[in-house]
Amino acid sequence: MKNLLTTLVVLVFGVAVATAQGLAQETTAAAPDAGGDPFTEAFFAEVAGIPLGEAEAALVKGGDLVLAVHRNTQTMTVYNGTPAAIVNGLAEVYTVPVTTRVVQRSSPQDKDAMTRDTFVTAKNISYYPTQLPAGTYKLDYSTQDVAGYGPGIHIDAYVDTTVKNKEGKNESKKMNDYFVHGTDLDNTWGCVGVKYGNMSRVMNSYHRSYGPKILTIDAYSPRKSPSKRHN
C-alpha cells in the first residue's frame, strides 16, 4: 500500500510535494530515519494519523482511481477514493480476477509470453497480440462496447507491435487499442480482461471517480515452477 501511495503522489499529486516536504522537515526531529524525504515509511505513518474532516469523510469513495494489475496472480486491485481516504484505509478497495495473457490455452507456446506468435486480424490490421509492458498508464475514457465484450476503459498506451503490411511483410507499429474490459476467456489480444462478471463493479468505480485515473501493471517475477504456467 505504501509503495502504491508513493506512485500515486509522485505521478498525480505533484502539487502536494512542497507541502509534503515541509511536513517531513517538521517531523525529522521526531523521526530521524526519515532523512527529510517526504516519501518514507515515517512520513506515511505521520499522514495516517491525520483525522478526516466531515467533508473529506463524505468523499472517501470517489476521488481518484488506481487499477493495480498483478501479472503473476492474474488479479487487479481497485483503489477508489481521495488520497486522504486511501492513506487512512477508508477508500473502496477490492480485487478482481483478470487475464493479461495473449496466448491461447490450447497453444503450445509459453502462456506467459509477452507476444503471441500467430497473427490475429482486427479493423483490417493483422498483428501479433502483445501484452502491455510493465508501467503506469492513464485511463483516459470509457466506451459502451469493446469488441462485443461490453463496456470498457481505454488505456492510454502506445505499444510496439509487429503488424503485417500491405506487401505481406512484417513491420513494427505502435498500437493504442488497449482497454480494460470484461471477458469470459483465458486470454485477450493485449487488453486487460476482467473475468467472471466483475467488470460492472469496475465500471461503477470508474464513473464514480472524479479525480485522476491510472492503471499500473507489474512484470512477471522469476518462476519457481515453470510447468505450472504451461498447463
Side-chain angles (χ1 to χ4, degrees):
M1 173 63 80
K2 300 291 178 63
N3 290 336
L4 174 64
L5 289 171
T6 300
T7 301
L8 192 63
V9 172
V10 171
L11 294 177
V12 183
F13 305 105
V15 293
V17 170
T19 302
Q21 289 174 333
L23 286 173
Q25 290 172 357
E26 291 175 6
T27 58
T28 299
D33 292 339
D37 182 354
F39 306 122
T40 60
E41 294 289 320
F43 172 73
F44 282 113
E46 183 77 12
V47 173
I50 298 175
L52 294 180
E54 291 184 7
E56 291 171 312
L59 296 173
V60 293
K61 289 185 178 179
D64 311 304
L65 180 71
V66 179
L67 306 182
V69 178
H70 314 291
R71 226 183 297 246
N72 274 354
T73 59
Q74 293 290 282
T75 59
M76 181 175 75
T77 302
V78 179
Y79 300 86
N80 187 204
T82 63
I86 293 174
V87 172
N88 283 275
L90 297 175
E92 179 182 43
V93 181
Y94 58 92
T95 299
V96 297
V98 300
T99 180
T100 63
R101 296 187 172 105
V102 294
V103 178
Q104 293 175 299
R105 179 183 289 272
S106 59
S107 171
Q109 187 183 359
D110 178 3
K111 300 303 179 290
D112 289 347
M114 292 298 289
T115 299
R116 189 194 296 189
D117 60 9
T118 55
F119 281 107
V120 299
T121 301
K123 299 179 181 178
N124 297 319
I125 299 175
S126 294
Y127 62 96
Y128 287 148
T130 301
Q131 294 190 44
L132 279 170
T136 301
Y137 304 91
K138 290 193 302 182
L139 301 169
D140 52 2
Y141 68 86
S142 64
T143 183
Q144 292 186 353
D145 184 72
V146 180
Y149 287 106
I153 303 167
H154 185 252
I155 304 167
D156 188 21
Y158 290 84
V159 179
D160 288 327
T161 305
T162 299
V163 302
K164 186 178 294 185
N165 63 23
K166 294 180 179 179
E167 289 73 35
K169 297 181 179 180
N170 293 353
E171 63 181 22
S172 181
K173 178 180 179 180
K174 289 190 179 296
M175 301 283 281
N176 181 235
D177 199 21
Y178 284 81
F179 290 85
V180 180
H181 65 76
T183 186
D184 54 1
L185 302 176
D186 292 321
N187 66 277
T188 70
W189 288 0
C191 297
V192 176
V194 179
K195 304 181 74 174
Y196 309 129
N198 285 285
M199 190 60 198
S200 59
R201 186 177 185 185
V202 176
M203 290 302 302
N204 286 340
S205 297
Y206 177 87
H207 289 305
R208 185 166 56 240
S209 174
Y210 52 82
K213 304 171 181 67
I214 64 172
L215 178 141
T216 67
I217 184 167
D218 59 16
Y220 288 115
S221 62
R223 303 176 184 179
K224 294 182 179 179
S225 52
S227 61
K228 290 184 178 180
R229 294 191 187 171
H230 288 75
N231 294 334

